[in-house]
Amino acid sequence: ISGIFKAPFAGLLFTLEVLMLDLTMAHLVPLIVSCVTAAILTYAINGFDSMFTFRLSEQFEIAYVWPVILLGICCGLISLYFTKVMNSIETLFRKSHNLYLKWLAGGIVLSLLVFLFPPLYGEGYNTIHTLLNGNPSDLLNNSPFYGTPYLLVFIGCIITFKVVATTVTTGAGGCGGLFAPSLFLGCLMGFLFATLWNRGGF
């Protein structure tokens, strides 16, 4: 996290939270050194540009507190759904001890999902860039839904099936994590919520 996002403090907190380490010098000092080193190396190799950039079009107002609270509740429900579905699919894959069957099932499911919803391919950073740059209709490119007015339905389907794509990848023996999918889902959920809220005239 420190290296990829150039965020040493976030990497430190994430490690402490996930690994449940004690706040002792024996844990903190090596973590701080590794996080700072990773960030410095990334700055030296890739420069000082941040991974995600955006322009703030209007200032935050106190009236936005309620929609932000509602967005937090929606994201909490999405995370609950993500956890439940992920555990169910992982349990299903554990029942099979045939590696070839796992690979075949994973390949078929992922191929179908990526064909229908191309933004599911990869870690999702390009999708985040697309939404931050204000080009949401570009998400429909290379999909069977290109040229249709169902962008929000398309995004809702991506949110629904992202957990399936992520868990099938790891369950079939592929490499993957949960941090990038969490960013991906948070970005899509925030865009969907904001669009529906604004269209509702609130």
Side-chain angles (χ1 to χ4, degrees):
I1 292 173
S2 298
I4 293 174
F5 301 104
K6 302 175 184 176
F9 189 66
L12 173 66
L13 290 180
F14 182 81
T15 306
L16 289 174
E17 181 180 353
V18 172
L19 299 182
M20 304 294 285
L21 299 177
D22 297 326
L23 293 176
T24 60
M25 294 302 291
H27 288 139
L28 284 177
V29 171
L31 274 177
I32 292 172
V33 170
S34 62
C35 289
V36 171
T37 303
I40 290 174
L41 283 175
T42 304
Y43 278 122
I45 295 171
N46 293 334
F48 289 87
D49 294 335
S50 60
M51 176 173 282
F52 303 118
T53 58
F54 67 95
R55 177 181 293 178
L56 188 63
S57 58
E58 54 185 88
Q59 296 297 322
F60 184 83
E61 298 178 7
I62 194 66
Y64 298 157
V65 170
W66 291 112
V68 169
I69 292 174
L70 289 176
L71 174 60
I73 294 172
C74 290
C75 288
L77 293 174
I78 290 295
S79 67
L80 179 62
Y81 161 77
F82 192 95
T83 304
K84 295 289 186 182
V85 174
M86 182 180 67
N87 290 337
S88 300
I89 296 176
E90 284 181 346
T91 301
L92 189 63
F93 270 94
R94 279 196 213 101
K95 290 180 180 179
S96 175
H97 300 288
N98 189 329
L99 290 178
Y100 297 103
L101 183 61
K102 288 183 180 180
W103 296 342
L104 181 62
I108 291 173
V109 173
L110 282 175
S111 298
L112 182 61
L113 287 177
V114 170
F115 172 74
L116 294 173
F117 311 106
L120 290 177
Y121 180 76
E123 72 286 328
Y125 295 151
N126 288 334
T127 299
I128 296 175
H129 278 294
T130 299
L131 292 178
L132 288 177
N133 292 329
N135 304 311
S137 59
D138 289 351
L139 297 182
L140 295 171
N141 291 346
N142 303 318
S143 78
F145 304 96
Y146 179 77
T148 64
Y150 305 115
L151 175 63
L152 296 185
V153 176
F154 184 77
I155 290 177
C157 290
I158 293 175
I159 293 173
T160 302
F161 291 113
K162 178 61 177 177
V163 60
V164 179
T166 300
T167 313
V168 164
T169 299
T170 55
C175 227
L178 295 178
F179 189 78
S182 298
L183 288 178
F184 179 83
L185 282 176
C187 180
L188 287 174
M189 189 63 219
F191 174 82
L192 182 63
F193 180 89
T195 303
L196 292 175
W197 184 270
N198 291 333
R199 288 188 179 181
F202 300 108

